[in-house]
Amino acid sequence: MSGLLIVAASLGAAGCIGKIGDNPATTSDPAPTEVETAEHGVRLPRLSHTQWSRTAQAFLRLTDPPLFMMRPDTISGEGFETDDRTRVIDSTLLRDYRAAAEALADQSVDNPEAFAKLVVDAGEGDAPTRLRRLITVAWPRAYRRPLTTDEIDRYVAIGLAEPDYAEAGNDDDRLKVALRVLIRITLQSPHFVYRVELGDPAAEVQQGKYRIRPLTPNEYATRLAYTLFDAPPDEALIAAVTADGPAFDVSKLVDDPRARETILRFHKALYSVDASRSMIKDSGKFPGMEGLGLDAAAEAELFLDEVVKNGGSLRDLLLSRTTFVNQRLASIYGLPTDGLTADQFTPAELPAERAGILTRVSWTGNEADLFERSSILRGVYVTRKLLCAPLGAPPNGAVEAAPKPPPELVSNRDKVSFRTGGSACEGCHKEIINPNGFAFEGFDAIGRFLTDENGAKVDSTGETILNGERVSFTGARDFLELAAEAEQTHGCYVNHLDAWVLGRSLADFERADAAPTVELSIHERASVRAILAALLTAPAFRSVVREVP
Amino acid sequence: MIRSGRRRFLAGLGGLLVALPFLEGLERSTMADTMDRRFFLHFRQWFGVQQRPRFGGKYKDEQEGFWPDAPIAPNGSVALTRQLLEKSTNGEIRATGELADFASSLLMLRGVRVMDMNGLHRPHLVQAMTGSRYQATNPNFANDPGSDNNAWPMHETLDTLIARSIDGTMPFVFETLVNNDAQTSYRNGENGAIPIQNPSLNHPSAAYAQLFGQAQLDAKSAALRLRASDAVLAELKSLRSDTRLSAEDRRRLDAHFDAMNEVETKLQCMPPDVHDPSMSAVLDSDKPKLSDPSKSRWESSGHFNEYVDSVADAFIQIAALGVSCGAFRAANIVMCPDTNFNHSSVFDEGSLDFQQGFPGQYHALSHRAFTTGEQDNPDFTELEKGAIAHHRIDRWHARKFAKLLGLLRDAGVLDQGLTVWSNENAFGNHWAYDMPYIVAGNAGGKLKTGLFVDLQSAAVEPGDSVDDASIMSAAMSKQMPCSRLLNTLGAALGLTSADKSPLSDFGGIQNNLPTITGNLPSLLT
């Protein structure tokens, strides 16, 4: 059974999805069919602002990516920054595009050095000749494809029709007049702003309720480059993809140092590292912990990057005790602090009670409040993000209606159990959320390991459901070791990674098609990079998919 | 047709015709025109209007000078016609008669009260556009709990709700000599804190620059921008026609097109040359009076009312331009309180021949008193002259409102949104029943117009009530709470309640009385 199917089976066992009173906007379950239609019908993903900037850099042969203030996209708590649904187009952004386009156009023609670099592709001849040659050679860098003859003719005509063209003093000046308007147009064009993925209609096939159309080599190369490097493809990549066809080996791209940045961003989003950066703790209970989030996030980033760089796997992400600490983190982890400073992060080995990313200060501290660890936040995270089990939102008013624990309850676990013990809550909390959160009960609000709490022994034991079966655990590390061997966990991870590379959620058949990749992860202990490479060559990534009503 | 109307408007402003070739060349036949053009303009007068009280009290013998001259029954209505609005008595039309050109576009609503009548000015100011009682909880006034200044809204005003509901923006506030205390537009405070006033602009030139942000763009650059934009739109259209696109792709390109159209619309507002003399009414870079935000110099210059006139006109033009160009969704033009209206542009002081000297301030005039603070002891020998002066001030405001409506109509946008003339009081003696709410435009056909409506539930004869408590009690029980009117305006503009039905849950908070919300379906189409 594939990990993905196991996920479904375990969900059935849990049966903990939305109830009356759920807020649909906050429910994490798969969207209904009509939304699926929208998600899978998109063939015009908008470039991120980083991608826009790097494409402008390549197009205009700039030394560095230009920096502009652009309307920020809102990333939902459930999504990745690659999710195309978060990339809006509105008048505010269009004004930002316009301002950037105008500034770059003016710079490219008014700055002699910039102009010289841009027109190196124009060759010799009079202005119309050079303009046509430049459009033919340089514009594919902007649009990630060769321009059609009609497009070239149109752009040349626009350039030559500029009011000042005829009066310009020499060919260079005439070229500048034409380029000033053409660069403005190009940097605002839908062909620049969007990844236009129309696919090859002749090769379209129907699979169930989906029509699947393979990407053209240009489109595939473009998707690869933006996914891995946040940058447009260069000529060599397009040529290689075109030449090799389906046999194109993406592993070199995945191993390229430029891909580390984007792979790290995925893991930081998945494991809430960016969110942990701004964690705040009560200075009375936790003196000297101001800015702890910055330390914690830095450690998490170093660890995640280290795992990927060294060919680590999901198991390593979940179980490795390798880390990098400064003086404060070493103190929290109970490691020697001799010779350590506040600014330097030194390689170290975490104590035995810890395992992987979810036992570090960044995650344990983020899934907590100012004073206390949050077993519920931790349980919800594990359920949704680690195991991909569906979970409804709490009924309206549940938080306010939860009873206040009596004073005789001293442990956090007992208090949480009491507060969530009502009939409206226990359906999800008793069997699913709380046990998954209690596994991490041994880590307080700043990630320190606890064995005693107000005179009572901290209890991190419990039972959870993995692969549809109930299993017992004795603590966080035990829980994670069990999870790291469960197909459900690997299926969940692969789904997250696939959603990240595709910039959308997966269609039903795509989840099933990812099964071989899950097998790679669980049975062959494949590295993160190998899993990524597998997804980048899978049919879902190489095609555009449209759901047919 | 909106486009041609806008052209006329731009021509009227002068110097704004640069975009015409682009407009003519813009073919949109294959693109969806789903641009949302709703707007809300609020024109605020202060100190009540000169009207005959229906519940008795101090001014019960004054002649009616504001509402149309038509008998109207409680809960009844009459059609608004030019003929009705132009009716005169002894050669004097009612103040609303200044709006005769717009009879079919108006909804005049009498019989509306605020939620809590206790108070003088600020308590009513903050209610007229929140539809909820005021609160006196500002810690800055902790030592002055009974102060009229310690009055704050319970929540945001309607203009804020409208702006943020339509496109997530905040309303603009244009002040004509109000000194950053318009008390007209509020946003909710954070974490339940007291609502705060939305920032205001009191300098037309600065307002213009902030709104359109392109006063420095010369004609050549503007034309280049338009050519580039035109070409991008053509590419957008071409891409959208590709049959390989999905329906979702087309929706995305339609949204892109609409956003672009919005940007283009603003682009068309760009003056080709900020030094064009025809723009001087708005930018007025050559006239120091509009470049000088300090009114003190003009108060002593003998030309103060000319200054007031110019500032008001400039803001009216900017407001109309902003709406026409989609620069904002909601704005307030807050007219000038405490202003020495002694210029012949407002009324002929000399013809009134005040025996004890000219009262001076508008506020004092509204009280029929000689100085502010004497409102409880008006000189009844001069009452009639005070009423005439107040009536002329009302007509001056009505003419300004008519000017605004004219610009909106010429731009073809009057019926895209709602333009409301309101007041913080109904009368100069702080009564806040029969509040003057004059609505223009039908919000895209959603609001009935061409009507004079009395929302009062039962008749009360003048003089029936003589003491203040009786007047307040009668007004509270017989008149329509303004909350229901505000919900109606919001509903007409497409705003919804928490349950997604047409807006009905805005405001309604009373003082020790049940909350009254709901809209007025009889006014909606």
Side-chain angles (χ1 to χ4, degrees):
Chain A
M1 179 188 278
S2 78
L4 298 160
L5 296 178
I6 289 171
V7 171
S10 68
L11 301 184
C16 184
I17 54 178
K19 291 178 166 52
I20 294 173
D22 285 355
N23 178 356
T26 59
T27 305
S28 65
D29 304 328
T33 303
E34 59 268 25
V35 178
E36 291 280 315
T37 302
E39 289 175 1
H40 298 112
V42 173
R43 291 170 190 166
L44 297 173
R46 202 209 76 202
L47 298 190
S48 71
H49 299 332
T50 301
Q51 292 167 351
W52 190 98
S53 177
R54 290 181 177 175
T55 309
Q57 178 194 14
F59 168 45
L60 300 172
R61 295 193 184 282
L62 305 176
T63 306
D64 298 303
L67 290 175
F68 292 100
M69 291 294 289
M70 286 192 182
R71 179 201 192 287
D73 291 322
T74 303
I75 301 167
S76 74
E78 300 288 335
F80 295 112
E81 102 279 1
T82 57
D83 189 336
D84 192 64
R85 289 170 299 180
T86 68
R87 293 185 181 170
V88 297
I89 284 278
D90 63 11
S91 58
T92 304
L93 178 61
L94 294 188
R95 277 192 289 274
D96 292 339
Y97 280 158
R98 184 179 69 190
E102 291 178 350
L104 287 173
D106 290 346
Q107 176 191 311
S108 297
V109 297
D110 294 336
N111 181 309
E113 189 181 342
F115 179 72
K117 286 170 74 174
L118 175 61
V119 300
V120 72
D121 296 320
E124 301 297 326
D126 60 10
T129 303
R130 294 169 71 198
L131 180 61
R132 177 172 293 276
R133 193 177 296 123
L134 185 59
I135 292 169
T136 306
V137 176
W139 259 248
R141 297 198 296 269
Y143 293 162
R144 291 84 68 181
R145 61 170 173 78
L147 270 63
T148 65
T149 304
D150 284 350
E151 286 174 322
I152 295 170
D153 290 346
R154 178 170 168 269
Y155 277 174
V156 170
I158 289 173
L160 301 188
E162 276 297 282
D164 293 343
Y165 183 84
E167 286 75 33
N170 56 43
D171 276 321
D172 258 8
D173 289 343
R174 281 190 279 276
L175 197 54
K176 288 177 181 176
V177 168
L179 288 175
R180 195 183 297 275
V181 69
L182 289 173
I183 293 171
R184 287 168 179 237
I185 294 167
T186 301
L187 294 177
Q188 299 177 76
S189 166
H191 297 283
F192 185 92
V193 171
Y194 298 113
R195 271 173 27 213
V196 180
E197 298 177 338
L198 299 173
D200 179 4
E204 182 171 290
V205 296
Q206 180 126 7
Q207 186 170 336
K209 59 183 178 180
Y210 299 102
R211 281 189 190 148
I212 303 161
R213 186 181 293 174
L215 295 174
T216 66
N218 258 95
E219 291 168 346
Y220 179 52
T222 301
R223 195 185 266 193
L224 280 172
Y226 279 123
T227 301
L228 288 172
F229 308 146
D230 262 344
D234 55 26
E235 291 176 19
L237 176 58
I238 294 175
V241 169
T242 305
D244 296 350
F248 178 75
D249 181 7
V250 301
S251 56
K252 280 187 182 174
L253 298 181
V254 174
D255 293 341
D256 188 299
R258 289 177 295 170
R260 273 173 61 187
E261 177 194 336
T262 43
I263 297 171
L264 178 60
R265 273 218 314 280
F266 161 72
H267 286 116
K268 282 164 58 182
L270 180 61
Y271 296 121
S272 309
V273 175
D274 287 329
S276 73
R277 197 179 304 277
S278 56
M279 74 167 75
I280 300 172
K281 301 301 170 188
D282 179 70
S283 58
K285 182 170 181 178
F286 303 109
M289 290 301 159
E290 293 79 11
L292 176 64
L294 297 174
D295 290 353
E299 180 216 359
E301 284 185 29
L302 289 167
F303 167 69
L304 293 169
D305 190 47
E306 183 78 359
V307 169
V308 174
K309 185 179 69 177
N310 293 336
S313 66
L314 174 61
R315 281 184 178 80
D316 296 312
L317 292 172
L318 296 178
L319 299 176
S320 170
R321 287 189 281 142
T322 295
T323 197
F324 300 83
V325 291
N326 64 358
Q327 192 176 44
R328 178 156 66 178
L329 291 176
S331 174
I332 288 175
Y333 288 136
L335 298 172
T337 58
D338 296 345
L340 296 178
T341 67
D343 302 327
Q344 296 293 317
F345 285 77
T346 305
E349 182 84 1
L350 289 172
E353 65 269 15
R354 299 184 189 257
I357 185 68
L358 299 187
T359 58
R360 289 159 201 255
V361 174
S362 64
W363 187 82
T364 52
N366 188 56
E367 308 298 330
D369 62 26
L370 271 70
F371 301 92
E372 190 54 88
R373 57 208 187 280
S374 173
S375 310
I376 294 175
L377 285 180
R378 292 173 180 180
V380 168
Y381 177 96
V382 167
T383 306
R384 286 180 172 162
K385 296 284 184 71
L386 183 69
L387 304 177
C388 287
L391 205 56
N396 289 335
V399 175
E400 294 78 9
K404 189 176 178 183
E408 61 267 26
L409 297 180
V410 294
S411 76
N412 178 66
R413 179 169 180 151
D414 287 345
K415 292 175 186 173
V416 171
S417 298
F418 183 85
R419 291 199 77 211
T420 56
S423 57
C425 304
E426 68 174 2
C428 290
H429 279 275
K430 187 175 180 183
E431 301 292 331
I432 306 294
I433 299 173
N434 292 2
N436 288 342
F438 290 151
F440 300 87
E441 204 65 2
F443 304 106
D444 72 4
I446 60 168
R448 287 182 307 204
F449 186 62
L450 298 176
T451 54
D452 295 295
E453 180 182 21
N454 299 325
K457 187 173 182 299
V458 171
D459 182 3
S460 301
T461 64
E463 290 185 344
T464 190
I465 298 171
L466 289 173
N467 298 346
E469 295 178 4
R470 191 173 294 276
V471 294
S472 301
F473 56 84
T474 58
R477 181 171 174 180
D478 190 34
F479 180 97
L480 290 165
E481 286 176 345
L482 289 167
E485 296 305 320
E487 287 190 36
Q488 178 177 355
T489 311
H490 289 262
C492 184
Y493 177 78
V494 169
N495 279 356
H496 285 310
L497 189 55
D498 212 5
W500 178 72
V501 300
L502 292 173
R504 57 175 170 80
S505 64
L506 306 183
D508 297 340
F509 79 92
E510 290 170 334
R511 293 175 191 274
D513 282 354
T517 311
V518 180
E519 297 284 325
L520 272 179
S521 180
I522 181 72
H523 295 305
E524 298 185 26
R525 297 175 176 261
S527 69
V528 167
R529 283 186 278 150
I531 294 169
L532 177 58
L535 292 175
L536 296 177
T537 52
F541 190 82
R542 303 185 67 121
S543 56
V544 287
V545 179
R546 182 169 54 160
E547 184 175 332
V548 182
Chain B
M1 184 69 186
I2 291 168
R3 206 172 296 145
S4 61
R6 182 180 299 119
R7 280 203 301 275
R8 285 200 303 276
F9 170 66
L10 296 177
L13 270 182
L16 297 177
L17 295 169
V18 65
L20 285 182
F22 170 76
L23 277 172
E24 297 293 352
L26 181 60
E27 295 176 9
R28 308 185 59 201
S29 58
T30 60
M31 302 292 280
D33 183 4
T34 56
M35 187 171 172
D36 188 345
R37 299 178 189 278
R38 292 172 290 167
F39 69 87
F40 179 76
L41 281 181
H42 177 210
F43 178 90
R44 164 151 277 172
Q45 181 185 352
W46 302 58
F47 304 137
V49 296
Q50 192 278 311
Q51 59 173 317
R52 179 186 174 92
R54 294 204 287 184
F55 289 78
K58 195 177 296 177
Y59 304 157
K60 65 185 174 61
D61 294 327
E62 285 192 6
Q63 295 301 307
E64 175 59 50
F66 186 79
W67 299 103
D69 187 5
I72 184 169
N75 283 321
S77 65
V78 297
L80 275 179
T81 63
R82 169 182 289 276
Q83 187 178 23
L84 170 61
L85 290 172
E86 287 182 339
K87 279 175 70 174
S88 64
T89 305
N90 299 326
E92 192 79 13
I93 60 170
R94 302 285 171 88
T96 46
E98 299 281 3
L99 306 175
D101 278 351
F102 306 93
S104 62
S105 299
L106 296 170
L107 179 62
M108 295 190 180
L109 298 163
R110 196 176 188 185
V112 180
R113 65 162 171 89
V114 298
M115 312 307 284
D116 179 352
M117 288 193 202
N118 289 296
L120 304 179
H121 294 280
R122 193 169 190 132
H124 299 162
L125 271 161
V126 301
Q127 293 184 69
M129 277 292 150
T130 61
S132 284
R133 70 171 171 86
Y134 68 98
Q135 54 180 324
T137 53
N138 192 323
N140 294 334
F141 292 89
N143 297 325
D144 191 13
S147 166
D148 194 56
N149 290 325
N150 190 9
W152 302 86
M154 297 295 291
H155 50 75
E156 66 187 349
T157 43
L158 183 66
D159 58 319
T160 301
L161 176 67
I162 289 170
R164 68 178 181 81
S165 297
I166 292 178
D167 67 354
T169 57
M170 281 289 148
F172 281 87
V173 182
F174 303 126
E175 290 184 350
T176 305
L177 305 180
V178 191
N179 295 332
N180 294 314
D181 192 24
Q183 305 169 37
T184 296
S185 179
Y186 291 83
R187 67 181 73 188
N188 286 329
E190 290 186 10
N191 302 318
I194 296 171
I196 55 175
Q197 291 204 49
N198 287 315
S200 52
L201 297 160
N202 55 17
H203 194 292
S205 187
Y208 187 89
Q210 179 169 335
L211 280 172
F212 304 107
Q214 46 207 10
Q216 302 306 313
L217 202 65
D218 60 34
K220 189 175 175 182
S221 301
L224 173 59
R225 178 178 283 182
L226 282 166
R227 289 197 300 279
S229 193
D230 209 5
V232 174
L233 271 169
E235 294 193 356
L236 204 53
K237 278 179 60 179
S238 172
L239 178 59
R240 193 190 181 283
S241 67
D242 195 307
T243 56
R244 291 170 294 178
L245 292 179
S246 69
E248 175 60 18
D249 295 329
R250 292 195 179 88
R251 277 194 289 275
R252 166 164 281 205
L253 292 179
D254 284 345
H256 190 146
F257 181 88
D258 284 342
M260 196 125 189
N261 196 32
E262 189 181 331
V263 173
E264 293 313 315
T265 307
K266 287 184 185 176
L267 198 55
Q268 293 154 25
C269 299
M270 189 165 41
D273 184 349
V274 294
H275 301 299
D276 185 326
S278 60
M279 284 302 296
S280 61
V282 175
L283 303 179
D284 221 14
S285 56
D286 60 340
K287 293 184 181 177
K289 66 184 180 187
L290 283 184
S291 303
D292 180 6
S294 165
K295 67 176 183 177
S296 58
R297 188 153 69 90
W298 296 96
E299 284 177 319
S300 59
S301 70
H303 298 285
F304 186 59
N305 287 114
E306 182 185 346
Y307 176 54
V308 172
D309 240 17
S310 298
V311 174
D313 285 351
F315 276 135
I316 284 168
Q317 293 193 58
I318 288 172
L321 185 62
V323 163
S324 305
C325 301
F328 48 73
R329 296 298 190 161
N332 301 269
I333 305 170
V334 184
M335 303 304 285
C336 26
D338 273 346
T339 299
N340 187 352
F341 275 107
N342 61 357
H343 191 268
S344 57
S345 70
V346 182
F347 65 87
D348 182 0
E349 172 200 337
S351 69
L352 293 174
D353 191 23
F354 284 92
Q355 295 302 304
Q356 300 183 45
F358 184 67
Q361 292 187 329
Y362 171 27
H363 184 191
L365 264 177
S366 77
H367 285 294
R368 319 291 186 256
F370 293 99
T371 59
T372 301
E374 294 183 6
Q375 60 266 27
D376 292 330
N377 297 295
D379 183 330
F380 287 93
T381 62
E382 299 284 276
L383 205 59
E384 187 177 347
K385 293 171 187 169
I388 293 170
H390 194 174
H391 172 67
R392 292 181 184 177
I393 291 173
D394 291 343
R395 288 185 61 175
W396 180 84
H397 281 90
R399 287 196 294 276
K400 295 299 180 195
F401 189 61
K403 184 169 193 164
L404 174 62
L405 301 188
L407 289 171
L408 295 171
R409 185 172 64 184
D410 288 349
V413 298
L414 179 60
D415 280 331
Q416 303 287 331
L418 297 176
T419 306
V420 179
W421 172 16
S422 86
N423 207 307
E424 105 281 23
N425 275 316
F427 309 90
N429 63 338
H430 308 135
W431 284 119
Y433 68 89
D434 272 340
M435 297 285 285
Y437 282 99
I438 311 295
V439 185
N442 60 30
K446 303 291 174 47
L447 188 74
K448 291 178 181 173
T449 55
L451 291 172
F452 174 31
V453 181
D454 188 358
L455 293 168
Q456 181 171 279
S457 62
V460 176
E461 292 302 320
D464 281 355
S465 303
V466 291
D467 62 274
D468 288 359
S470 299
I471 291 172
M472 196 180 300
S473 173
M476 286 295 287
S477 65
K478 297 181 190 309
Q479 294 227 318
M480 181 65 70
C482 63
S483 58
R484 298 195 65 191
L485 169 60
L486 300 185
N487 275 295
T488 306
L489 300 180
L493 285 167
L495 273 61
T496 56
S497 297
D499 64 0
K500 306 298 181 192
S501 62
L503 187 68
S504 64
D505 59 1
F506 179 71
I509 306 168
Q510 303 203 93
N511 191 10
N512 296 320
L513 290 170
T515 294
I516 300 179
T517 53
N519 54 42
L520 300 168
S522 62
L523 298 181
L524 297 167
T525 59

